[in-house]
Amino acid sequence: MTDFNLMRELRRQAPGKIILLVMDGLGGLPLEPGGPTELEAARTPILDRLAAEGTLGQTIPIRLGLTPGSGPAHLGIFGYDPLTYVVGRGVLEGVGVGIVVRKGEVAARGNFCTVDAEGKITDRRAGRISSREAIPLVDRLAQVRIPGIQVEVRHVQEYRFAVVMRGPGLEPDIADTDPQRTGVPPLAARPINDGSNKAAELFNAWIAEARKAIADHPKANALTLRGFSTDPDLPSFPETFGVRSACIAVYPMYKGVAELVGMSVLKFDGDKPEDEFAAVGRAWNDFDFFFVHIKKTDSRGEDGDFAAKSAVIEGVDAALPGLLDLGPAVLAVTGDHSTPAKLKTHSWHPVPFLLWAPGTVRTDDQMKFGETACVHGGLGTFLATDAMPLMLAHAQRLEKFGA
Amino acid sequence: MTDFNLMRELRRQAPGKIILLVMDGLGGLPLEPGGPTELEAARTPILDRLAAEGTLGQTIPIRLGLTPGSGPAHLGIFGYDPLTYVVGRGVLEGVGVGIVVRKGEVAARGNFCTVDAEGKITDRRAGRISSREAIPLVDRLAQVRIPGIQVEVRHVQEYRFAVVMRGPGLEPDIADTDPQRTGVPPLAARPINDGSNKAAELFNAWIAEARKAIADHPKANALTLRGFSTDPDLPSFPETFGVRSACIAVYPMYKGVAELVGMSVLKFDGDKPEDEFAAVGRAWNDFDFFFVHIKKTDSRGEDGDFAAKSAVIEGVDAALPGLLDLGPAVLAVTGDHSTPAKLKTHSWHPVPFLLWAPGTVRTDDQMKFGETACVHGGLGTFLATDAMPLMLAHAQRLEKFGA
């Protein structure tokens, strides 16, 4: 795992810029034993050229066998060991819908649920109501006013929402109100320590008003909250690694994680790879490090659409000249985890990693970017948290250790 | 190393069953540089097919360069870091000959030694007397009675035996009675803390009687004890990983280690691979995880018989349909360590690892099960303690980490 103090000691300024291109869920599986993966099936002449000119490897996102969620997977590739830097469920859920949670604010994840006439839960997920049904209910919650504080509520998906409370004297050590079973009422928000008394009281006041606002709904007539948490106060990425850092992403979740580590989140129009790459170009002189996030590899993987995932990769490949023309010192192309179309979900498999750095890379004998080639690449198999020192080194942004 | 709390948090039930087939001392060495190892020389059409359909790697049993004993090596492959979970010498020796040591019981390893007329040790190993000579002496020790406690003694090998004391109020913190040199008498059993006073006293009483029982033997006329220890209270394997777990082994040592971690040790007739595999079949519906142990690869390696070790592997290969027909979700084939016939002993070399998991494995380009192929396999080189999360993941028995 990356030693942050060591990085602070060794970082140095250099002119070369670094692009970290993350295709979400890039790693795949062959449909048949011995067949190609999504990446291997894609026609990627530019990535293959970069593989030939650079070096390959495969990363372990967290530990062998562990399947990461999107939050931990990105923290890992940014150098933060996900088992050490645990971001609370409430904050991650808020971040996922674009709510920024700052120190002293308390976020929670909310579930709509169904209660009977006695107030006992009959369905912990309100019959998994659709997003279409849930959004107007979230609007009602957003209208609830509690004196002295501000509460922001946003819909997440189906029966799930995120809530953030802002005001003086709030601490997040509060137990979940979800009793994790039916036949009992939702629990009150109970402080785990005295510092959180005020926040728990205010959450209980908010819950009472919020329940009035939705009491007439046939399914989603109550709610539970869990994962109370605040800004995890992660070490600053730009400060630790000594790079002015920009995030270019379309989806709120990834912008949120980048913001949590202190990157500047760039605004731009469009959602295609070429739109994202153009945004990199416009900001080229203002930053040293560019995290560029492509979402659709993961989305098509989760759809189980092998060919569509390959097509997304081909689209990225075709747009790559837009990045290469900028003249980066280092271009790393990888994923945050694997999302094989065959499994339709995130998985634990290693993730292909391509490191291109003209003039400083030790080339290997691999000529094509793909999972099997990455097994044989010069970088070997390594923890995702080691990617940052590798990128910095190839940009000549790390001093020698010791005399 | 496997994070046991994390495993408890992420484990989940799934229908797929896991078989861990351990060929003891599987790893080998070529007789000549560039030649095949025992595994590579063996004709193994089924293992080669599984290698082609699955993925390969090589494990480090403890740390690079360390040669493990059988106990630590098995703990490692079960996920217990042998440097953290240290099982006392007495317990291991007892376990090795089928004595189960429970909490509150104290085990020690015994050596016969030779003392002169003044009671000073002249040979710490009693002239390395043969097992044939030692067994009747162990029988004499087993007849010794000490009021209020029960003592079990079993022969191990040559001048070595195992002893376990059972009774109320026993604690194991007792210093070795072996002075580690000649010309001095054996030491008394000395308690290291007050809690162990009673056990030390009783061991001294037993030693006095035991020495009377063997005093007339020309070589083995005294004894020393060391490695006083009790049940190490290892975290439960079935509970940690969420799998009902069975051990299928012929030799007491391996049944013992499996029992120490809480596996159910199955009884069956016969000692051939097909007998063991048939036992798996009979218990198929009652367990989720099957640890199957093949001893003779190690035995033939220790004999220095390269061809015979290859033949044992060929026998396992021929019997494999008996396992495959059961339809496991995951079959891992590996060793606990290497026992190259060329060295006639355990060694530190990495151990071949084959992971076969139809539908969830990422195949690599290796088509044969052997040491060199394993170097180039998709799993890379990894610590043996990471094998459990890998197997569980491929059986889809681990939840995603984080959102």
Side-chain angles (χ1 to χ4, degrees):
Chain A
M1 137 182 192
T2 303
D3 181 328
F4 280 34
N5 286 327
L6 192 62
M7 289 294 109
R8 286 190 191 98
E9 197 183 309
L10 300 181
R11 72 189 174 201
R12 75 168 172 201
Q13 291 309 305
K17 293 178 189 285
I18 301 171
I19 301 174
L20 168 61
L21 175 59
V22 174
M23 288 191 251
D24 205 295
L26 177 62
L29 281 181
L31 294 177
E32 301 296 331
T37 64
E38 298 91 318
L39 173 58
E40 289 168 342
R43 211 188 138 267
T44 53
I46 298 176
L47 286 166
D48 293 346
R49 174 171 68 79
L50 298 181
E53 294 174 3
T55 186
L56 302 181
Q58 58 178 2
T59 62
I60 306 299
I62 304 180
R63 298 287 187 274
L64 280 174
L66 295 198
T67 297
S70 297
H74 274 84
L75 286 179
I77 198 84
F78 295 158
Y80 299 71
D81 183 357
L83 298 185
T84 303
Y85 295 99
V86 177
V87 179
R89 202 66 207 217
V91 170
L92 263 187
E93 204 79 59
V95 152
V97 289
I99 307 183
V100 175
V101 182
R102 296 201 168 74
K103 208 73 197 161
E105 303 176 350
V106 179
R109 165 178 161 167
N111 277 9
F112 287 114
C113 64
T114 316
V115 296
D116 63 18
E118 293 173 30
K120 291 179 183 166
I121 297 175
T122 56
D123 188 319
R124 288 178 51 241
R125 296 184 184 85
R128 290 186 183 271
I129 55 165
S130 68
S131 291
R132 199 177 43 78
E133 282 180 282
I135 287 169
L137 291 170
V138 170
D139 286 343
R140 291 197 217 167
L141 300 186
Q143 304 303 320
V144 171
R145 295 282 173 267
I146 302 294
I149 51 161
Q150 193 223 327
V151 180
E152 182 173 1
V153 191
R154 290 203 196 175
H155 182 246
V156 174
Q157 205 174 9
E158 296 174 345
Y159 57 91
R160 283 155 49 198
F161 60 88
V163 49
V164 178
M165 186 176 283
R166 301 188 173 100
L170 303 180
E171 290 187 25
D173 302 310
I174 299 173
D176 294 353
T177 77
D178 184 346
Q180 296 285 342
R181 59 198 175 99
T182 56
V184 295
L187 303 168
R190 188 175 52 74
I192 293 167
N193 61 39
D194 286 350
S196 300
N197 283 345
K198 180 175 174 186
E201 236 171 71
L202 288 164
F203 266 109
N204 283 323
W206 181 82
I207 290 167
E209 292 304 310
R211 283 186 60 169
K212 284 183 206 163
I214 57 174
D216 64 347
H217 193 276
K219 283 181 288 190
N221 61 354
L223 58 90
T224 59
L225 299 181
R226 57 172 150 160
F228 292 92
S229 44
T230 189
D231 178 357
D233 212 9
L234 299 172
S236 159
F237 182 96
E239 186 267 332
T240 300
F241 298 114
V243 282
R244 297 169 298 161
S245 307
C247 160
I248 297 89
V250 173
Y251 277 58
M253 169 76 186
Y254 310 96
K255 296 185 203 177
V257 175
E259 181 142 351
L260 279 178
V261 299
M263 293 186 192
S264 301
V265 176
L266 303 190
K267 288 192 200 309
F268 59 96
D269 292 325
D271 63 358
K272 294 195 198 61
E274 41 272 44
D275 300 322
E276 299 193 57
F277 297 173
V280 173
R282 285 191 297 275
W284 192 245
N285 293 326
D286 302 327
F287 297 94
D288 308 307
F289 182 94
F290 297 85
F291 157 54
V292 185
H293 182 265
I294 305 286
K295 173 66 181 170
K296 295 210 165 121
T297 27
D298 179 61
S299 312
R300 295 298 83 76
E302 296 218 320
D303 294 344
D305 193 336
F306 186 101
K309 185 175 167 191
S310 290
V312 174
I313 298 167
E314 292 182 352
V316 171
D317 189 83
L320 272 177
L323 284 184
L324 294 171
D325 289 350
L326 298 169
V330 171
L331 170 63
V333 185
T334 186
D336 53 340
H337 54 75
S338 296
T339 306
K342 188 170 184 178
L343 300 182
K344 297 189 183 185
T345 182
H346 293 198
S347 79
W348 60 90
H349 299 91
V351 184
F353 191 95
L354 187 165
L355 184 67
W356 182 82
T360 62
V361 78
R362 178 187 292 162
T363 51
D364 53 34
D365 55 356
Q366 300 305 311
M367 308 300 284
K368 194 178 173 336
F369 190 35
E371 280 81 348
T372 297
C374 283
V375 169
H376 301 305
L379 297 174
T381 301
F382 60 101
L383 285 175
T385 48
D386 285 326
M388 274 306 299
L390 268 180
M391 287 183 265
L392 291 167
H394 282 84
Q396 299 185 281
R397 285 179 172 270
L398 288 181
E399 300 279 359
K400 182 163 69 176
F401 176 78
Chain B
M1 137 184 192
T2 304
D3 181 328
F4 280 34
N5 286 328
L6 192 62
M7 288 294 109
R8 286 190 191 98
E9 195 183 309
L10 299 181
R11 71 189 175 202
R12 74 168 172 203
Q13 292 309 306
K17 293 177 190 284
I18 301 171
I19 301 174
L20 168 62
L21 175 59
V22 175
M23 287 191 252
D24 204 294
L26 177 63
L29 282 179
L31 294 177
E32 301 296 331
T37 64
E38 298 91 319
L39 173 58
E40 289 168 342
R43 211 188 138 266
T44 54
I46 299 177
L47 286 166
D48 293 345
R49 172 171 68 78
L50 299 182
E53 294 173 3
T55 186
L56 302 180
Q58 57 178 1
T59 61
I60 306 299
I62 303 180
R63 298 289 186 276
L64 280 174
L66 295 198
T67 296
S70 298
H74 274 83
L75 287 178
I77 197 85
F78 296 158
Y80 300 71
D81 183 356
L83 298 185
T84 303
Y85 296 99
V86 177
V87 179
R89 205 55 211 226
V91 170
L92 263 188
E93 205 79 57
V95 152
V97 289
I99 306 183
V100 175
V101 182
R102 297 203 166 74
K103 206 79 195 158
E105 304 177 348
V106 179
R109 164 178 161 169
N111 279 8
F112 288 114
C113 63
T114 315
V115 296
D116 61 19
E118 292 174 31
K120 290 177 182 166
I121 297 175
T122 56
D123 189 320
R124 288 178 51 240
R125 296 184 185 85
R128 289 188 184 271
I129 56 166
S130 69
S131 292
R132 198 177 45 78
E133 283 180 281
I135 287 168
L137 291 170
V138 170
D139 286 342
R140 292 196 216 166
L141 300 186
Q143 304 303 320
V144 171
R145 295 283 173 269
I146 303 293
I149 51 161
Q150 195 223 325
V151 181
E152 183 173 1
V153 190
R154 290 202 197 178
H155 182 247
V156 174
Q157 207 174 8
E158 297 175 344
Y159 57 91
R160 284 155 47 199
F161 59 90
V163 50
V164 178
M165 186 176 283
R166 301 186 173 101
L170 302 182
E171 290 188 24
D173 302 311
I174 300 174
D176 293 353
T177 77
D178 183 344
Q180 296 283 343
R181 59 196 175 102
T182 56
V184 295
L187 303 168
R190 189 175 51 75
I192 294 167
N193 60 40
D194 286 351
S196 300
N197 283 345
K198 180 176 174 186
E201 236 170 71
L202 289 164
F203 266 109
N204 284 323
W206 181 82
I207 291 168
E209 293 303 311
R211 283 185 62 169
K212 285 184 205 163
I214 57 174
D216 64 349
H217 194 275
K219 283 180 289 189
N221 61 353
L223 56 89
T224 58
L225 299 180
R226 56 173 152 160
F228 293 91
S229 45
T230 189
D231 177 358
D233 212 10
L234 299 172
S236 160
F237 181 97
E239 186 266 332
T240 300
F241 298 114
V243 283
R244 297 170 299 163
S245 307
C247 159
I248 296 90
V250 173
Y251 277 56
M253 168 76 189
Y254 310 96
K255 298 185 200 175
V257 176
E259 181 144 351
L260 279 178
V261 301
M263 294 186 191
S264 301
V265 176
L266 303 191
K267 288 192 202 308
F268 60 96
D269 292 324
D271 63 359
K272 295 195 198 61
E274 40 273 42
D275 300 323
E276 299 194 56
F277 297 173
V280 173
R282 285 191 298 275
W284 191 245
N285 293 325
D286 301 327
F287 296 94
D288 308 307
F289 181 94
F290 298 84
F291 158 54
V292 185
H293 182 263
I294 305 285
K295 173 65 181 172
K296 295 209 166 121
T297 28
D298 179 62
S299 312
R300 295 299 81 79
E302 296 217 321
D303 295 344
D305 193 337
F306 187 102
K309 186 175 166 191
S310 290
V312 174
I313 296 167
E314 292 182 352
V316 171
D317 189 83
L320 271 176
L323 284 184
L324 294 171
D325 288 350
L326 298 168
V330 170
L331 171 62
V333 185
T334 186
D336 54 340
H337 54 73
S338 296
T339 306
K342 188 173 183 177
L343 300 183
K344 298 188 182 185
T345 184
H346 293 198
S347 79
W348 60 90
H349 300 90
V351 183
F353 191 95
L354 186 166
L355 184 66
W356 182 80
T360 62
V361 77
R362 179 186 288 164
T363 50
D364 52 34
D365 54 357
Q366 300 306 309
M367 307 299 283
K368 195 179 171 340
F369 189 36
E371 280 81 348
T372 298
C374 285
V375 169
H376 300 300
L379 297 173
T381 300
F382 59 101
L383 285 175
T385 46
D386 283 326
M388 275 306 300
L390 268 181
M391 288 183 262
L392 292 167
H394 282 84
Q396 300 186 281
R397 285 178 171 270
L398 288 180
E399 300 279 0
K400 185 163 68 173
F401 175 79

